[in-house]
Amino acid sequence: MNQLLMERFDSLVEGPESIQSLRRFIVNLAICDKLVEHDASEESSAELLKRITELKLKLLAEKQLRKSKPLPPIEADEIPDGLPECDTLVRLSDIAKIEKGETGIQKANPGPFPLVVTAKARATSDTFQFDCAAAIVPLVSSTGHG
């Protein structure tokens, strides 16, 4: 476990907001890539970002990825208060492909596929749009798409 976390553990779990404080501290360590010790044989976050950029360029050249308008670098005023200074912060769109599903929640026919929604219980659908590894985040839209 992270040395810094262990050193500060007692002070982080005392007081009325201890759980929130501990969560914030752990998230900050994770965001700054300091939650776990790294093996020297593992690539650094800078190397990983370089590899992702090279792969994106290759996929763009092969027309397997649509070209999108680049967003500006993250500015200091965009970073939430309390987040520590990190070597590398990037926009999610720089390292992941972001897509919206085509199935409207209200119009989805129940079926064998999970339909991620903002409700407590997950819905289902008879169709799917993604056939790959993915992180699925339910979004609220004015048209009710999930």
Side-chain angles (χ1 to χ4, degrees), residues 11 19 22 40 45 69 73 75 103-104 110 131:
S11 64
I19 298 299
L22 182 59
S45 56
K69 182 180 174 185
E75 298 290 332
T103 303
D131 188 15

Side-chain angles (χ1 to χ4, degrees), residues 130-136:
F130 304 104
D131 188 15
C132 58
I136 301 174

Side-chain angles (χ1 to χ4, degrees), residues 83-129:
L83 198 65
E85 295 251 345
C86 297
D87 296 335
T88 308
L89 286 178
V90 296
R91 297 192 184 279
L92 183 59
S93 62
D94 290 341
I95 59 171
K97 184 177 177 183
I98 301 173
E99 293 186 43
K100 182 175 136 182
E102 298 172 8
T103 303
I105 295 169
Q106 300 298 321
K107 295 181 181 176
N109 296 318
F113 305 106
L115 179 62
V116 179
V117 296
T118 54
K120 188 173 183 177
R122 206 171 256 180
T124 63
S125 177
D126 61 352
T127 62
F128 66 91
Q129 282 85 55

Side-chain angles (χ1 to χ4, degrees), residues 2-22:
N2 180 282
Q3 179 78 24
L4 190 54
L5 176 60
M6 295 310 296
E7 289 172 5
R8 291 190 176 172
F9 188 79
D10 288 338
S11 64
L12 289 169
V13 296
E14 293 175 1
E17 294 186 10
S18 60
I19 298 299
Q20 291 295 0
S21 175
L22 182 59

